[in-house]
Amino acid sequence: MRSRYPNRGSGLEYYLWIFTRLSGILMLFMAAFGIVYANLAGGRTLLDMAAQYRWGFFPTYWHVQNSDIPDVFPNWSNSFWQIYAVLLFFVAAVHGFNGLRVVVEDYVHRPYLLLFAKWLVFVLFLFTLFAAAVIVFELFV
Amino acid sequence: MYRGRHVGYLEGLRYKGQENMLAWVLHRITGLGILILVGTHVIAAFFLNAIGDNISTTITTIYESKPMQVFVYFCVLYHALNGLRLIVEDLWPPLLRYHRELLWFQWLVFLPVFGLPAALMIVSLWSGGA
């Protein structure tokens, strides 16, 4: 269980350890809020279970478009949910890619390979954030 | 740090970490599973909208299939429940006295909450659902 406890020597490592815990709670609450909202906005009768989970994960209108909702635009597709989805994804991406960095540090020991792997993780992180923002705000040309 | 201990893979499998090691291994596997699945899903959705290539279509088809949905649900639910238990134990260390009880309680919650929807999904797959 080495990776569970923070290395007190480095401030950043400690803050990332705290962030992993707090963002975990935050993501649970954000998903719960999204699902509660979806049910109050008529999803109780219109959404099946899978659509509710998809919406909780990433509240974008195409995650509920194939359900029985006749018009997604008033309640399910507005700038509130776009910003909410990007914030949720950003928190989840920092949490997830930081976890990947911890796993990489556990199994990669050669210094240059570790440096390369950590940069690869960082570039993937940035590209995933970019892709998610483009998808949510529909910035395709 | 398995390399530092000079333990082989077969010996590692026989390691008697029991339910604690099972929780650690599953937390790591499910975390990586979420990262790989959601990451490829988002990147595939990006390229599907930007270019519309065959690889993205294939990835999206695999991601939307029922067995994959069961696996994603397993990963998310286990990682969320186990992470919640870890947070509770890390932020309120006196609760570590009840660590074993918390682990069993976690399985008690996980099995029905995962098992019932997963069983429904698999049954609908058998009866010809998509």
Side-chain angles (χ1 to χ4, degrees):
Chain A
M1 294 294 230
R2 187 185 73 93
S3 58
R4 259 186 65 191
Y5 294 99
N7 172 16
R8 300 257 175 186
S10 146
L12 180 67
E13 192 80 6
Y14 180 65
Y15 287 122
L16 282 173
W17 185 86
I18 292 283
F19 175 82
T20 302
R21 270 79 192 153
L22 295 182
S23 64
I25 301 176
L26 182 66
M27 281 188 287
L28 287 176
F29 277 114
M30 285 181 92
F33 175 76
I35 292 175
V36 167
Y37 171 88
N39 280 274
L40 291 177
R44 191 177 66 83
T45 49
L46 299 176
L47 290 185
D48 61 355
M49 190 189 70
Q52 294 201 13
Y53 281 124
R54 284 198 294 271
W55 173 264
F57 238 143
F58 200 41
T60 54
Y61 68 85
W62 56 88
H63 271 171
V64 295
Q65 209 167 24
N66 294 330
S67 306
D68 298 330
I69 294 169
D71 181 12
V72 291
F73 284 97
N75 287 327
W76 310 83
S77 175
N78 49 46
S79 42
F80 173 80
W81 285 112
Q82 283 181 326
I83 293 166
Y84 193 92
V86 164
L87 279 179
L88 180 55
F89 191 84
F90 187 86
V91 171
V94 176
H95 182 107
F97 280 97
N98 181 51
L100 182 59
R101 179 190 62 85
V102 170
V103 174
V104 163
E105 284 179 355
D106 266 3
Y107 297 110
V108 179
H109 297 291
R110 294 179 197 173
Y112 285 107
L113 194 62
L114 181 60
L115 193 67
F116 173 74
K118 278 159 85 171
W119 272 103
L120 190 65
V121 168
F122 188 64
V123 169
L124 268 176
F125 165 68
L126 289 183
F127 180 69
T128 316
L129 280 188
F130 166 75
V134 169
I135 291 169
V136 168
F137 291 108
E138 300 187 90
L139 303 172
F140 299 105
V141 281
Chain B
M1 297 290 282
Y2 70 97
R3 289 175 85 198
R5 290 199 210 105
H6 303 290
V7 174
Y9 287 110
L10 280 176
E11 236 174 307
L13 282 178
R14 279 198 309 249
Y15 172 65
K16 291 179 184 163
Q18 296 186 345
E19 67 263 45
N20 293 317
M21 190 189 169
L22 182 67
W24 177 79
V25 165
L26 279 178
H27 197 73
R28 193 157 270 205
I29 291 173
T30 52
L32 287 176
I34 294 168
L35 194 69
I36 292 168
L37 291 169
V38 177
T40 48
H41 179 52
V42 169
I43 291 173
F46 173 76
F47 282 117
L48 194 64
N49 280 289
I51 314 171
D53 57 314
N54 286 332
I55 300 172
S56 300
T57 314
T58 312
I59 291 174
T60 310
T61 313
I62 293 171
Y63 193 87
E64 285 173 352
S65 67
K66 272 266 163 58
M68 197 55 97
Q69 285 182 21
V70 174
F71 182 62
V72 173
Y73 184 47
F74 175 85
C75 286
V76 170
L77 193 67
Y78 188 86
H79 202 81
L81 279 176
N82 197 55
L84 194 59
R85 180 186 59 77
L86 275 175
I87 292 166
V88 165
E89 288 182 355
D90 277 345
L91 298 185
W92 291 278
L95 279 173
L96 277 170
R97 257 184 80 186
Y98 306 101
H99 170 71
R100 181 164 286 214
E101 284 80 0
L102 283 171
L103 261 179
W104 281 104
F105 180 67
Q106 184 195 324
W107 279 111
L108 202 67
V109 174
F110 176 82
L111 285 177
V113 175
F114 170 73
L116 289 174
L120 286 176
M121 284 196 225
I122 292 168
V123 165
S124 83
L125 192 63
W126 277 337
S127 59

